[in-house]
Amino acid sequence: MGRRTDGLLAAVVLVVLSSAFVASDAQVSIPAFVAGCIVVLALEAAMAPHADTVRRWWARPAVRLGSLAVAIVLVIGGALVSPTPFLSAGIGATAAYLLLLGLVAAGVVQPVAEWF
């Protein structure tokens, strides 16, 4: 659990997203990529005031594995239905999350729970 586990799970999702991106021959959509970045940062900010509750839920292995499974199913569905916007947004969101996680780990940015 913790940043290392979060980073590993996000990296797995990024590999799945990237693989689906290549397999579906999707094109890069900058607006969708940016939208994914904004959405993940907005979600982190929205959850910040409830960090203890989120941490308790996320500590459960079933929640982490279930979230990973749902993410993979969504990637597959998005790749089949509308690959360019969906996968671009997913890669943007996951990349922004990993960047945020790295900046927090490096001490450059405060942990999200301390934003407000």
Side-chain angles (χ1 to χ4, degrees):
M1 193 174 65
R3 288 188 198 122
R4 194 171 287 172
T5 301
D6 291 355
L8 178 62
L9 291 172
V12 168
V13 171
L14 188 58
V15 167
V16 173
L17 280 161
S18 301
S19 299
F21 192 88
V22 170
S24 67
D25 200 30
Q27 303 299 310
V28 175
S29 169
I30 298 299
F33 182 92
V34 171
C37 293
I38 291 168
V39 167
V40 81
L41 295 175
L43 284 172
E44 286 293 322
M47 290 187 295
H50 312 287
D52 291 336
T53 302
V54 171
R55 203 173 295 118
R56 277 195 308 274
W57 275 92
W58 193 243
R60 300 174 185 184
V63 172
R64 291 192 306 270
L65 292 176
S67 297
L68 179 61
V70 167
I72 291 170
V73 167
L74 287 173
V75 168
I76 293 167
L80 293 172
V81 174
S82 187
T84 291
F86 186 87
L87 298 174
S88 292
I91 290 170
T94 308
Y97 179 75
L98 284 168
L99 177 61
L100 176 61
L101 198 60
L103 291 173
V104 169
V108 175
V109 175
Q110 292 181 348
V112 178
E114 298 173 19
W115 284 5
F116 302 102

